[in-house]
Amino acid sequence: QVRLVESGGGLVQGGGSLRLSCVASGRTWSPYDMGWFRQASGKEREFVAALRRTDSRTAYADSVTGRFTISNDNAKNTMYLQMNSLKPEDTAVYYCAAQISGPYYSWSTYDYWGQGTQVTVSS
């Protein structure tokens, strides 16, 4: 079992930046793909970014490419999502997640989820 806890959300003006953190406890992160997903009010959960363990590559949704960066600090058991040039359409609850296997972009295949952290971007 892996427990994930997100933090770092808040209210920011358009064009601003936030860094989300996801602290893991329990089993090591190394066997898992790690991802960030978001869900806006009344909308479906969508893929944002992932750190793929099979090839050590990162992947991003087209909507955030060039603005968001996923990274981790193994010494702190923490994954980060650096979000720059934020837009109002980025407003959502952001979740970190881990999966044993499956497509990195598919939320339905992830095994462990954090509680979510709210990001609100004003115009």
Side-chain angles (χ1 to χ4, degrees):
Q1 290 289 116
V2 175
R3 183 169 181 264
L4 305 173
V5 180
E6 303 98 332
S7 63
L11 175 64
V12 65
Q13 295 184 64
S17 298
L18 284 173
R19 188 176 74 165
L20 306 184
S21 299
C22 176
V23 179
S25 60
R27 299 176 68 181
T28 178
W29 288 21
S30 58
Y32 305 98
D33 291 338
M34 301 296 300
W36 287 96
F37 294 80
R38 66 187 182 187
Q39 187 165 18
S41 180
K43 297 185 178 181
E44 297 179 345
R45 194 180 310 174
E46 65 177 353
F47 167 74
V48 176
L51 197 166
R52 306 185 300 190
R53 300 300 186 188
T54 55
D55 56 9
S56 299
R57 291 187 177 185
T58 57
Y60 300 92
D62 289 342
S63 60
V64 306
T65 296
R67 299 188 297 121
F68 290 11
T69 303
I70 188 172
S71 63
N72 63 57
D73 184 338
N74 289 332
K76 297 180 179 180
N77 291 325
T78 303
M79 178 175 66
Y80 303 98
L81 183 68
Q82 178 66 47
M83 305 185 295
N84 298 325
S85 301
L86 284 162
K87 305 174 182 179
E89 49 263 46
D90 295 317
T91 296
V93 177
Y94 283 71
Y95 299 90
C96 66
Q99 74 172 352
I100 299 171
S101 64
Y104 66 86
Y105 53 82
S106 178
W107 67 265
S108 64
T109 64
Y110 279 70
D111 302 284
Y112 306 103
W113 292 86
Q115 84 288 351
T117 185
Q118 176 70 47
V119 172
T120 302
V121 184
S122 63
S123 60

